[in-house]
Amino acid sequence: MNDHSIAARITGIRARIDQLTEAAGRPAGSVALLPVSKTFPPDAIREAIAAGMTRFGENKAQEIRDKSAVLADTDVRWVMIGHLQTNKARDIARHAHEIQSLDRPELATALERRLEIEGRSLDALVQVKTSHEPSKFGLDPAELEEFLSFLAAEAPRLRVQGLMTMAVNEEDTDAVRACFRRLRELRDTMQAKSIPGVNLHRLSMGMSGDYGLAIAEGSTEVRIGSAIFGDRSYTSKQ
Ligand SMILES: *Cc1c(COP(=O)(O)O)cnc(C)c1O
């Protein structure tokens, strides 16, 4: 294992997460690591599995479908983190264990119908838009309460556990941090309303470049791609 191996990077990031968690005065072990393997080949994922990882984030339905076939001998749990078109709901209902990019009623309805056909359920986080960047997907915070009530009533196969966001992509750490704080406050506001069937204990926020700020603001899960697997050879739309 050299210093730049996937295993070494995972070990390093876990140590950093633990330090940041402690520095934020939060309980040890309260921040999970979700490795994001999008664009990286199955061999890279096998290395991360050998280093103890079991869940992997991907942002394309087709990549989850293809990789779950190649890695059928493992017990990887696939987590959809990218924008999902309703016509791809079947792939996610069939192959994923979780979706963190649930952001609109039509998608919930499409997933619910497909999950019923497959006889499956999915863990789910609602993706909320906390920045004003035009390119970011996610639900408008003003629509969150109504959407959560809708999910609780109409989509029992989506087990909603919390919220996810992507911060503004800027150098300005105050602006980045404000996005994460916004998500936590929204979660607190929704929890205080005690919407029947809704318990938002998870906050998925923080990526390779900003997870320190996210942990300081209460993240329970950081989604780390390039800091584990290396630079991606394309620019992601998200
Ligand atoms: C790609 C991606 C990540 C990981 O980004 P890195 O900067 O490579 O850590 C996290 N979340 C989402 C939604 C992504 O699409």
Side-chain angles (χ1 to χ4, degrees), residues 36 38 59 81-82 164 166 206-209 223-227 232 236 238:
V36 175
K38 66 188 186 195
N59 70 342
I81 60 173
M164 180 273 240
M166 290 177 84
M207 320 197 325
S208 295
R223 309 178 305 269
I224 308 292
S226 46
R232 286 180 294 275
S236 165
Q238 288 215 48

Side-chain angles (χ1 to χ4, degrees), residues 197-227:
V198 176
N199 182 10
L200 308 172
H201 56 278
R202 294 174 57 196
L203 288 178
S204 172
M205 51 190 202
M207 320 197 325
S208 295
D210 59 18
Y211 67 96
L213 296 169
I215 291 171
E217 287 297 337
S219 172
T220 66
E221 172 164 341
V222 294
R223 309 178 305 269
I224 308 292
S226 46

Side-chain angles (χ1 to χ4, degrees), residues 117-134:
I117 293 168
E118 300 291 330
R120 298 185 75 232
S121 325
L122 286 180
D123 290 343
L125 303 183
V126 174
Q127 182 176 357
V128 179
K129 190 172 148 87
T130 52
S131 79
H132 296 294
E133 286 183 345

Side-chain angles (χ1 to χ4, degrees), residues 47-129:
E47 277 186 65
I49 294 170
M53 300 288 100
T54 52
R55 301 162 64 232
F56 289 87
E58 291 281 346
N59 70 342
K60 294 202 168 93
Q62 185 175 330
E63 217 168 320
I64 290 184
R65 191 184 67 197
D66 294 349
K67 286 176 175 172
S68 63
V70 181
L71 293 166
D73 59 307
T74 69
D75 48 16
V76 168
R77 299 171 69 81
W78 298 105
V79 181
M80 177 60 175
I81 60 173
H83 181 66
L84 180 60
Q85 293 173 293
T86 50
N87 64 4
K88 305 271 173 63
R90 184 183 62 179
D91 288 333
I92 296 306
R94 196 172 278 179
H95 301 293
H97 287 81
E98 178 176 337
I99 178 166
Q100 298 196 350
S101 47
L102 184 62
D103 63 356
R104 59 200 193 281
E106 311 80 67
L107 178 59
T109 303
L111 283 168
E112 181 70 21
R113 195 173 58 233
R114 287 294 173 181
L115 286 165
E116 203 171 323
I117 293 168
E118 300 291 330
R120 298 185 75 232
S121 325
L122 286 180
D123 290 343
L125 303 183
V126 174
Q127 182 176 357
V128 179
K129 190 172 148 87

